[in-house]
Amino acid sequence: MTYTVNGRTFDEEPHPGQCLRTFVRSLGHHGVKKGCDAGDCGACTVWLDGDPVHSCITPAFRAEGREVTTIEGLGSPDDLHPLQRQFRDAPGFQCGFCTAGMIMTSATFTDAQKADLPRALKGNLCRCTGYRAIEDAVNGVAAIEVAEPGRAVGASVGAPAATDVVTGRARFTMDTEIEGLLHMKVLHSPHAHARIVSIDTTAALAVPGVHRVYTWKDVPRKLYTTAIHTDHLVDPDDTYILDDTVRFAGQRVVAVVADTVGAAEEGCRRVVVEYDVLPAVFDPEEAMADGAPQLHGSDDPFVQDPVRNILLELHGEVGDIEAGFAEADVIHEGTYFTPRVQHAHLETHGSIAWMKDGRLHVRTSSQSPSIAKVKLAHLFDLRPDQLRVFCERVGGAFGGKQEVITEDLVALATLDTGRPVSLEFTREEEFTTASPRHPMKLTVKLGARSDGTLTAFQVRNVSNTGAYGNHGGETLFAAGAAISTYRCLNKKFDAYSVYTNTVPSGALRGYGMTQPAFAVESAITELAVALGIDPVELRRRNIVRPGDSLVAIEDGPDDVVFGEDGLGKCLDLVDAALRRTGNGQVPGEEWLVGVGTACGLHETAPPTEHISEAWATLGEDGVYELAVGTVEFGEGTSTAHVQIAATQLGTTPARVRLVQSDTDRTGFDTGAFASAGLFVAGNAVSQASEALRTRILAFAAAHTGVDVASCSMDDDAVLCDGTRVPLTELLDAARPRGIRFTEARKAYGSPRSVVTNAHGFRIAVHRVTGGIRILDSVQATDAGVVINPVQVRGQIEGGVAQGIGFVLTENFHVDDNGVMTNPNLRNYRIPTFADIPRTEVLLVNSSDSVGPMRAKGMAECCINPVAPALANALEDATGVRFRELPLTPERIYSRIGENRSVPTT
């Protein structure tokens, strides 16, 4: 059979039933991505005779005798297709995993299709950008700037990997070919709670191509936590690589290693497991009740109350809560519920391990290769020098890859077999075995005087950590910070992280703050309605102010610096924007219109120890090299780090070569999460670059015999009292003396500062169907000095899009047996282009006292006020308060029909 791919002819025959995606990738065209294998996401889009198709649902044999074009064949780095250039210059991507598919689809558009992008792009999903940058790219709207030497901070410079991303040459985790690679698949438990009586692997081992079948008896019997933090003691060691007890439907039971994915899958089907099914509990309130099934043994030192299935409980009180309610003129109390939410990053979890020179190498999709290395060394008794963990470009994360959930199995298999082994999650495995956002039920009770002054603030939070602790304790601590947004002398916080027989919960953008933000910001608006005070004005009267202590669950010293009224400025900007757009066209008489606002506050680094080390070097070719362990997965830290270094070194980003996320080539880095990729690693980069500049200037002064004060950096040279000395001349002078221009610095997540933001919506609600149409969306953020304006806008737009999905479309359905019933993108329904409006992004003019170049990381917090702002707008429109998410049309319809104050005809 003959196939032509990008103008080259191949005499190859696909396997029976093979899809076009896996076939063209086997030919070396890795720009074609896997996001779903169901025709839902469009990441695998290629052209067949010039027409775009989803190659994951196109049989390979249909391409015989036809011209296949992938992103690599559309254009090259030296000769970009116009759409590639437009996506680079917009920029129309963040992580870049969906970008090839987006370009291959949009490059075929007619003018009519460009005028109707909601329909034209309905087959292509993006989880990062919020789609507005993609719209700009398709329409040729450019935003990328060229920075002058030493002036990169504040400019919208492009990402270092931009050209590689738009041409499909950027390498993600699975974009490699390794000789002799074996493939692993995992058999998952069908039961929510069971003891394994026996496992018969005989039939599985008899499958041609199967090499190994691993059960709980074949793995190290060491407890660990899959969660990633520098201090592993903040998370419970309650997990085994494979266990003889399963605690949720989807837990891994057996791992099969074979020559092909198909053989490994068949091996999984042939394994015979006998289970002793145990009673299960899915609701955390029921799990805490007397007589509930116990998930973890009473001898587990990491479980605070195993009899009641409580991983951790927190209690704190400041002032006298009862006295506060006694002096209140108005008291509001409500219970709010936020469900599970999946990250749905388009690149699924995956790792590849192999042996080289007696060392274990692990290539993985992770937010922290440094800590993944620490965990693997612990599990397999390896010395640090026996192990390398690294990342290529990562296709989205949002906290979902702040776990070790594939690296351990491939490391096990490679150490055992000596062969390279790969494990890549399916989309279904992402939903059923990876860690979603914690469901939380929060009861908020507020007391206030008639003038709006808060007198009492009480929150009870029950968090469902699922079958294992992972991030259960840390997200519970983070949730306590939600009550620090408002001033009140009397506060009380009671919180419980509870084990249930459901998929373990984990880290997701907003990290423990998104759920309580929905509850608290909804309750504040309900209190305002009860008081007869404008909700924005009530917030203004009660928000924390510069100099206030951020009192949450205890009144004690901390390392948080809070010195600016960013939150008040954010509220004012959002309020003014909504008033300015208030005369917008209403869809019609059948629509009800409402406005809602909410605000948020987020610390710029986690309270647990966060460390990053950066190395700055002047290379032998006169180009700077920056080595930092932070992973790039679309958050833009790579770009920001290069900008910081270029500014400190008086050069341009083009003269800074970046090495990152490789434990062999970079220093320790806790990881890119909680905005620490900018705040902590950015500080390390800034300090190392500044130290290198000082070293170069001192040498240049000595070399030229002038005072160091008369020397300054000048792109590829140093100006010494008016004389321009090339860096290459300095290198030549330093080399015979054994002098190297290199510096390393470490930064820590302390002291920390505060990012604040506010969001506002104007929406229309259909009186009959309950459908919501977003008329205006605006967010204001205090991000300090903005390193890269277009990146900041993109992060906010993406966070808002995720928040809208969290509120309106995404629904994690679990049946009575604890099994997720909609484990695919089509039925879970992350937002499409048509679902997301343009958001007006407003940036407060401010600076930070402790951040790199006086900047703050802000990609984490932008999602937090979205859900409550939309819920508040919905109440304003309908007169009905919705305290449970998601706000689906059927749920809205059923409630507004019951409310007699709202006409339904």
Side-chain angles (χ1 to χ4, degrees):
M1 302 178 74
T2 300
Y3 294 84
T4 302
V5 182
N6 297 332
R8 182 182 172 190
T9 300
F10 296 87
D11 292 324
E12 300 283 346
E13 186 166 345
H15 303 301
Q18 187 173 20
C19 71
L20 184 58
R21 180 188 69 82
T22 59
F23 182 62
V24 295
R25 282 181 63 86
S26 72
L27 299 177
H29 302 286
H30 294 130
V32 183
K33 304 300 186 198
K34 166 196 167 180
C36 64
D37 276 337
D40 294 336
C41 74
C44 67
T45 302
V46 301
W47 292 352
L48 267 186
D49 292 338
D51 295 324
V53 298
H54 287 185
S55 61
C56 70
I57 55 172
T58 302
F61 73 83
R62 290 188 180 173
E64 184 184 12
R66 303 171 69 181
E67 178 67 38
V68 179
T69 306
T70 74
I71 188 70
E72 294 95 336
L74 193 65
S76 67
D78 297 326
D79 185 21
L80 295 177
H81 183 279
L83 254 295
Q84 291 173 316
R85 186 177 300 107
Q86 289 169 209
F87 268 77
R88 182 197 64 186
D89 295 344
F93 66 91
Q94 286 179 20
C95 84
F97 198 79
C98 74
T99 305
M102 285 285 182
I103 292 174
M104 295 304 292
T105 299
S106 56
T108 65
F109 285 169
T110 63
D111 289 342
Q113 287 174 306
K114 289 182 181 179
D116 190 10
L117 289 180
R119 179 180 295 275
L121 280 175
K122 66 181 181 179
N124 289 80
L125 297 177
C126 177
R127 190 57 156 172
C128 296
T129 65
Y131 296 105
R132 297 311 105 190
I134 292 171
E135 180 181 25
D136 288 345
V138 173
N139 290 322
V141 178
I144 292 302
E145 301 171 336
V146 176
E148 295 296 320
R151 297 182 180 179
V153 166
S156 293
V157 303
T163 299
D164 286 341
V165 167
V166 300
T167 58
R169 287 159 174 80
R171 288 293 178 255
F172 292 80
T173 309
M174 294 297 163
D175 297 340
T176 186
E177 297 173 5
I178 300 177
E179 187 176 352
L181 182 67
L182 300 177
H183 300 270
M184 176 180 285
K185 297 302 293 184
V186 174
L187 175 68
H188 302 278
S189 170
H191 304 293
H193 199 191
R195 182 177 61 86
I196 295 175
V197 177
S198 64
I199 303 176
D200 186 351
T201 64
T202 306
L205 288 167
V207 173
V210 169
H211 291 258
R212 296 285 194 278
V213 180
Y214 299 106
T215 74
W216 68 274
K217 295 181 180 180
D218 304 308
V219 302
R221 195 69 176 167
K222 286 187 177 182
L223 284 167
Y224 71 112
T225 174
T226 61
I228 282 176
H229 290 108
T230 299
D231 182 1
H232 71 94
L233 296 178
V234 302
D235 307 307
D237 287 339
D238 59 4
T239 305
Y240 290 109
I241 297 175
L242 296 171
D243 202 353
D244 60 347
T245 298
V246 293
R247 297 177 175 87
F248 69 97
Q251 181 168 331
R252 56 197 195 185
V253 176
V254 172
V256 177
V257 178
D259 289 330
T260 65
V261 172
E265 289 175 337
E266 182 61 23
C268 288
R269 286 188 285 267
R270 300 281 186 93
V271 174
V272 179
V273 184
E274 181 184 355
Y275 297 94
D276 177 17
V277 179
L278 303 173
V281 60
F282 307 117
D283 180 85
E285 296 278 13
E286 294 176 5
M288 289 192 290
D290 292 340
Q294 293 181 24
L295 273 72
H296 294 270
S298 58
D299 59 344
D300 190 334
F302 296 97
V303 181
Q304 191 163 332
D305 187 347
V307 175
R308 298 172 60 210
N309 291 306
I310 297 175
L311 166 66
L312 176 70
E313 56 182 290
L314 301 173
H315 303 282
E317 184 171 356
V318 178
D320 186 336
I321 196 71
E322 295 304 326
F325 284 119
E327 67 173 289
D329 296 314
V330 173
I331 294 176
H332 164 75
E333 184 172 4
T335 297
Y336 307 82
F337 177 75
T338 61
R340 287 179 186 84
V341 180
Q342 236 290 330
H343 309 77
H345 34 70
L346 289 192
E347 181 201 43
T348 61
H349 283 82
S351 299
I352 305 170
W354 65 91
M355 299 298 297
K356 182 179 180 182
D357 298 328
R359 301 177 71 223
L360 177 66
H361 296 250
V362 180
R363 171 177 172 143
T364 186
S365 182
S366 171
Q367 289 176 248
S368 177
S370 291
I371 297 181
K373 174 179 176 175
V374 170
K375 288 186 182 292
L376 294 177
H378 161 70
L379 286 171
F380 300 107
D381 294 323
L382 298 173
R383 299 190 313 272
D385 64 313
Q386 293 177 302
L387 176 62
R388 172 200 182 199
V389 179
F390 70 102
C391 300
E392 297 290 348
R393 194 173 181 89
V394 173
F398 316 113
K401 293 169 181 176
Q402 197 184 335
E403 307 267 357
V404 172
I405 54 178
T406 57
E407 296 89 345
D408 53 345
L409 283 177
V410 296
L412 167 78
T414 290
L415 289 169
D416 177 41
T417 65
R419 296 274 300 275
V421 178
S422 168
L423 172 60
E424 182 179 17
F425 274 18
T426 64
R427 181 55 57 183
E428 180 174 345
E429 286 172 321
E430 283 293 326
F431 280 109
T432 59
T433 71
S435 301
R437 191 189 298 282
H438 291 74
M440 290 186 183
K441 184 173 77 172
L442 297 108
T443 299
V444 181
K445 186 177 180 181
L446 303 174
R449 300 191 188 102
S450 58
D451 66 356
T453 302
L454 290 175
T455 62
F457 197 151
Q458 184 173 0
V459 175
R460 180 180 186 268
N461 182 4
V462 178
S463 175
N464 187 345
T465 194
Y468 296 94
N470 299 28
H471 296 264
E474 287 300 280
T475 52
L476 201 68
F477 273 108
I483 65 175
S484 65
T485 308
Y486 295 96
R487 313 172 90 197
C488 185
L489 295 177
N490 308 296
K491 294 181 177 182
K492 187 177 182 182
F493 182 77
D494 299 287
Y496 308 85
S497 180
V498 186
Y499 286 115
T500 65
N501 293 112
T502 57
V503 60
S505 303
L508 206 164
R509 192 180 207 160
Y511 199 78
M513 286 286 286
T514 310
Q515 306 95 313
F518 171 67
V520 168
E521 290 298 306
S522 294
I524 288 289
T525 292
E526 290 189 75
L527 178 65
V529 172
L531 287 165
I533 299 175
D534 177 80
V536 174
E537 180 58 29
L538 182 65
R539 288 176 168 83
R540 285 195 186 103
R541 296 180 189 181
N542 289 284
I543 57 174
V544 290
R545 295 172 175 82
D548 286 350
S549 296
L550 299 179
V551 177
I553 63 175
E554 58 184 15
D555 188 5
D558 58 33
D559 62 347
V560 178
V561 178
F562 181 53
E564 287 192 313
D565 184 24
L567 187 52
K569 294 176 182 177
C570 289
L571 277 169
D572 290 345
L573 286 172
V574 167
D575 188 41
L578 289 175
R579 294 180 188 278
R580 184 175 67 248
T581 59
N583 296 322
Q585 185 176 0
V586 178
E589 293 184 0
E590 69 276 18
W591 294 85
L592 304 165
V593 176
V595 175
T597 303
C599 59
L601 177 152
H602 203 100
E603 293 160 354
T604 53
T608 51
E609 186 177 12
H610 206 107
I611 306 169
S612 182
E613 182 175 7
W615 305 338
T617 302
L618 177 60
E620 288 297 309
D621 56 356
V623 174
Y624 295 102
E625 181 170 283
L626 178 65
V628 60
T630 305
V631 179
E632 176 61 64
F633 48 83
E635 79 282 25
T637 54
S638 296
T639 315
H641 290 167
V642 168
Q643 288 180 260
I644 291 169
T647 299
Q648 290 282 27
L649 293 165
T651 189
T652 62
R655 292 188 54 79
V656 179
R657 182 168 54 235
L658 185 64
V659 177
Q660 60 187 143
S661 57
D662 186 333
T663 60
D664 269 10
R665 303 178 64 196
T666 61
F668 183 89
D669 189 279
T670 297
F673 52 85
S675 295
L678 176 71
F679 185 77
V680 184
N683 263 328
V685 167
S686 181
Q687 292 164 20
S689 301
E690 183 180 20
L692 177 60
R693 181 187 70 206
T694 300
R695 175 181 283 269
I696 292 172
L697 291 177
F699 184 87
H703 176 66
T704 57
V706 302
D707 189 86
V708 71
S710 66
C711 298
S712 61
M713 307 299 293
D714 185 32
D715 196 12
D716 62 348
V718 177
L719 283 177
C720 296
D721 199 19
T723 300
R724 198 169 188 274
V725 183
L727 293 175
T728 51
E729 179 181 326
L730 298 179
L731 285 165
D732 290 341
R735 195 176 298 112
R737 299 165 58 185
I739 295 175
R740 294 182 63 230
F741 297 111
T742 184
E743 292 287 344
R745 291 294 185 273
K746 292 180 182 178
Y748 302 85
S750 181
R752 300 173 291 149
S753 55
V754 173
V755 181
T756 56
N757 61 335
H759 199 94
F761 283 111
R762 176 175 286 102
I763 67 170
V765 186
H766 198 275
R767 298 172 185 265
V768 177
T769 67
I772 289 178
R773 185 177 298 178
I774 298 174
L775 305 177
D776 295 295
S777 171
V778 57
Q779 182 164 129
T781 296
D782 172 16
V785 170
V786 176
I787 301 289
N788 189 310
V790 73
Q791 280 197 169
V792 168
R793 288 197 298 272
Q795 288 295 308
I796 292 174
E797 289 168 348
V800 171
Q802 280 189 308
I804 290 172
F806 175 41
V807 184
L808 297 182
T809 65
E810 298 177 41
N811 210 337
F812 198 109
H813 288 283
V814 178
D815 67 16
D816 293 340
N817 297 312
V819 177
M820 188 190 186
T821 60
N822 59 324
N824 55 69
L825 293 174
R826 184 168 304 187
N827 294 325
Y828 175 75
R829 232 186 65 68
I830 68 172
T832 67
F833 186 101
D835 297 312
I836 302 302
R838 275 195 176 271
T839 291
E840 182 180 1
V841 176
L842 304 171
L843 302 176
V844 171
N845 183 18
S846 70
S847 65
D848 189 60
S849 60
V850 293
M853 313 299 286
R854 307 183 74 81
K856 305 178 185 181
M858 42 58 61
E860 184 92 3
C861 63
C862 51
I863 192 173
N864 292 340
V866 175
L870 212 154
N872 291 337
L874 181 58
E875 182 188 31
D876 187 50
T878 65
V880 180
R881 168 55 61 172
F882 293 81
R883 296 175 178 161
E884 181 176 347
L885 300 177
L887 302 176
T888 57
E890 58 269 23
R891 181 173 289 168
I892 296 171
Y893 166 77
S894 66
R895 290 286 308 284
I896 64 176
E898 296 169 0
N899 184 18
R900 295 182 180 179
S901 67
V902 180
T904 57
T905 58

